[in-house]
Amino acid sequence: MSRKAILIDCDPGQDDAVMLLLAFGARDALDIKGITTVAGNVPLAKTQRNARIICELGGVTDVPVYAGCDRPMMRHLVTAEQVHGHEGIDGAEIYEPDLPLQSQHAVDYIVETVMGAPDDSITLVPTGPLTNIGMAVVREPRILSRIHEIVLMGGAMREGGNTTPSAEFNIYVDPHAADIVFRCGCPIVVMPLDVTHQVVTTATRTAAFAALGNRVGKSVQAMMEFYNRFDEEKYGTDGGPLHDPCTIAYLLNPTLFRGKSVNVTIETQSELTMGATVTDFWGVTDRAPNAVWVHGVNADGFFDLLNAKIARLP
Ligand code: RIB
Ligand code: CA
């Protein structure tokens, strides 16, 4: 079976880091063209560094890493050090990696790579604010015909917001970029809090990463122990939701997930509900469906897949 060509855009963040490691463990199925980074969980200088740290952790030195936008398209940057720590991937070893940062801007790289690809051939996997993707669409709309689908982590409906009562972080940080993406016409698969809150890294699941016996498993366990504490206190749960790996898990085994084709419209006017993903789940408007809203997952199957791929790494 041919490998799926993907471009990952992220803001590491511990859950972005696990998403990358899942992808690294599945390179027999995924042709990772490149990794672009965006300001989000922590400022860009750290998200781009963190992506390179995770590449080295996973033993991946042949995938280029790019830095993109250091702020949202219209609004001031909002970060999430309270969740992810000052360095963004606290729990992991933090250092200046040898793996170089590419000099080309991530938006230019996305445009150049997608324009150089056959029609309908590239899958975009954004797991942070959608600034780089929105900017690429504005810069070169012709990329849209070459994008097979966009599988993104963001949004919330039944779960409510995690950053404001009505907005999830990735969409809240750059609602204008999200609005561009959700109106772009490409097939979109959304992994919102409605599904990511069903894949909770409990203490047992966290310990299972370390039990894999490899360097990556131990680092994932340490990152999860740091990362879980915020959501455990917030939600009173055993562990925290593992948001971003849902995107890659979907690409590897979509049967683990259940979704529905709906219209998703982004709030960009009201400060009260800024960044809300207004999801017409029951078709009560005449707004045409523009995304598959994923709302169910086989959580044990998800973690079995994640462990199997991480076990392949150093
Ligand atoms: O709301 C969760 C999302 O925001 C995740 O992608 C997390 O990494 C942060 O970017
Ligand atoms: Ca993220």
Side-chain angles (χ1 to χ4, degrees):
M1 185 177 76
S2 66
R3 296 191 300 160
K4 190 183 290 284
I6 69 171
L7 271 180
I8 296 173
D9 185 75
C10 55
D11 65 332
Q14 290 89 349
D15 59 324
D16 303 75
V18 178
M19 174 276 296
L20 289 171
L21 294 166
L22 174 55
F24 295 162
R27 294 185 75 183
D28 54 327
L30 301 174
D31 177 9
I32 309 171
K33 295 296 185 184
I35 298 167
T36 54
T37 56
V38 67
N41 287 320
V42 288
L44 179 65
K46 290 185 176 176
T47 58
Q48 61 87 348
R49 176 204 65 190
N50 293 345
R52 292 184 288 132
I53 288 174
I54 299 304
C55 285
E56 291 190 343
L57 173 66
V60 171
T61 57
D62 59 341
V63 175
V65 177
Y66 299 81
C69 297
D70 65 0
R71 48 149 294 187
M73 293 181 85
M74 303 285 285
R75 294 170 64 85
H76 296 298
L77 177 62
V78 172
T79 53
E81 285 88 348
Q82 74 280 8
V83 181
H84 298 273
H86 186 65
E87 296 306 321
I89 52 171
D90 293 48
E93 183 191 352
I94 306 296
Y95 62 95
E96 184 51 40
D98 294 329
L99 189 71
L101 177 71
Q102 300 299 310
S103 57
Q104 187 178 26
H105 192 285
V107 173
D108 293 335
Y109 168 74
I110 292 168
V111 169
E112 180 183 277
T113 302
V114 178
M115 287 304 290
D119 262 7
D120 189 29
S121 64
I122 291 259
T123 295
L124 303 187
V125 185
T127 63
L130 290 164
T131 315
N132 288 341
I133 312 302
M135 291 290 284
V137 170
V138 170
R139 177 150 165 5
E140 183 46 87
R142 290 181 299 167
I143 64 173
L144 295 175
S145 67
R146 290 163 169 82
I147 295 171
H148 173 62
E149 70 181 347
I150 301 172
V151 182
L152 67 90
M153 191 279 142
M157 181 185 66
R158 293 193 177 126
E159 277 297 305
N162 62 2
T163 302
T164 72
S166 52
E168 176 277 329
F169 180 79
N170 288 339
I171 310 299
Y172 176 74
V173 169
D174 199 337
H176 301 93
D179 187 42
I180 290 168
V181 171
F182 277 89
R183 293 179 187 274
C184 78
C186 287
I188 297 174
V189 176
V190 187
M191 292 289 168
L193 300 182
D194 299 19
V195 70
T196 66
H197 279 197
Q198 298 176 45
V199 287
V200 177
T201 311
T202 62
T204 301
R205 287 166 170 162
T206 298
F209 291 127
L212 293 172
N214 57 354
R215 170 181 83 198
V216 171
K218 287 183 175 55
S219 182
V220 168
Q221 180 250 341
M223 283 192 279
M224 290 299 97
E225 287 197 341
F226 181 92
Y227 170 71
N228 285 341
R229 87 216 180 287
F230 182 84
D231 287 321
E232 285 175 336
E233 289 163 22
K234 180 176 180 178
Y235 298 113
T237 49
D238 169 16
L242 199 47
H243 307 288
D244 294 339
C246 287
T247 58
I248 298 295
Y250 171 82
L251 294 177
L252 296 175
N253 185 358
T255 67
L256 290 173
F257 298 90
R258 292 186 312 285
K260 182 180 183 183
S261 180
V262 298
N263 177 272
V264 180
T265 300
I266 308 300
E267 173 64 76
T268 59
Q269 304 301 313
S270 158
E271 277 302 330
L272 177 63
T273 55
M274 183 63 70
T277 42
V278 182
T279 304
D280 186 3
F281 197 82
W282 299 115
V284 297
T285 73
D286 60 358
R287 293 196 286 257
N290 60 345
V292 172
W293 187 265
V294 179
H295 54 81
V297 60
N298 169 352
D300 287 336
F302 168 86
F303 280 99
D304 289 347
L305 173 67
L306 180 57
N307 282 318
K309 301 307 182 186
I310 287 179
R312 292 177 166 183
L313 300 174

